[in-house]
Amino acid sequence: SAGIDFGARDVVEKQVEMQLEAICNGEISASELESARQMLLSSLESAHDTPGNIEGYYAVQGLTGMLFSREEYKQAILRCTASDISEAAKTLQKHTVFFLEGVQE
């Protein structure tokens, strides 16, 4: 997802497509991989901080059928390689694009 200026729609969509293609081609730096890991681990740590986060955590598990303990999830994040991400990215398909526009008074 991306929050963008509506006027930049074409530029942003092209950039997202280019970035996804780069990931599919295995163009993932060590720093990008580590940054993604840290973001996911941080998100995992805060998953039980609020009732909404708890609900979201278990809803995703229920909807995906991927039932992991927090420790199993953490270990999966730590084991994930750039190659794993590249292979997963190759399965992605564009699904929905939408823009929200505010009403000016």
Side-chain angles (χ1 to χ4, degrees):
S1 71
I4 66 166
D5 180 315
F6 188 78
R9 175 183 178 164
D10 292 339
V11 172
V12 172
E13 281 190 274
K14 183 161 183 60
Q15 186 61 254
V16 168
E17 289 170 4
M18 288 172 48
Q19 291 295 319
L20 181 55
E21 183 178 343
I23 292 167
C24 289
N25 291 332
E27 298 172 27
I28 303 167
S29 71
S31 64
E32 289 170 324
L33 180 58
E34 186 56 28
S35 179
R37 276 193 187 119
Q38 292 308 313
M39 186 274 308
L40 288 169
L41 291 171
S42 177
S43 178
L44 181 61
E45 287 301 314
S46 66
H48 288 77
D49 286 355
T50 67
N53 286 1
I54 294 168
E55 178 185 24
Y57 177 80
Y58 289 107
V60 168
Q61 285 200 0
L63 291 170
T64 63
M66 297 173 63
L67 307 175
F68 296 118
S69 71
R70 287 173 70 188
E71 184 58 31
E72 289 170 324
Y73 194 176
K74 179 180 176 181
Q75 292 307 313
I77 292 167
L78 294 171
R79 281 192 312 271
C80 189
T81 66
S83 178
D84 295 331
I85 294 167
S86 179
E87 289 304 309
K90 292 174 185 174
T91 69
L92 295 177
Q93 295 180 9
K94 188 183 219 179
H95 183 272
T96 304
V97 176
F98 68 93
F99 292 87
L100 301 177
E101 187 175 344
V103 177
Q104 295 185 12
E105 296 181 26

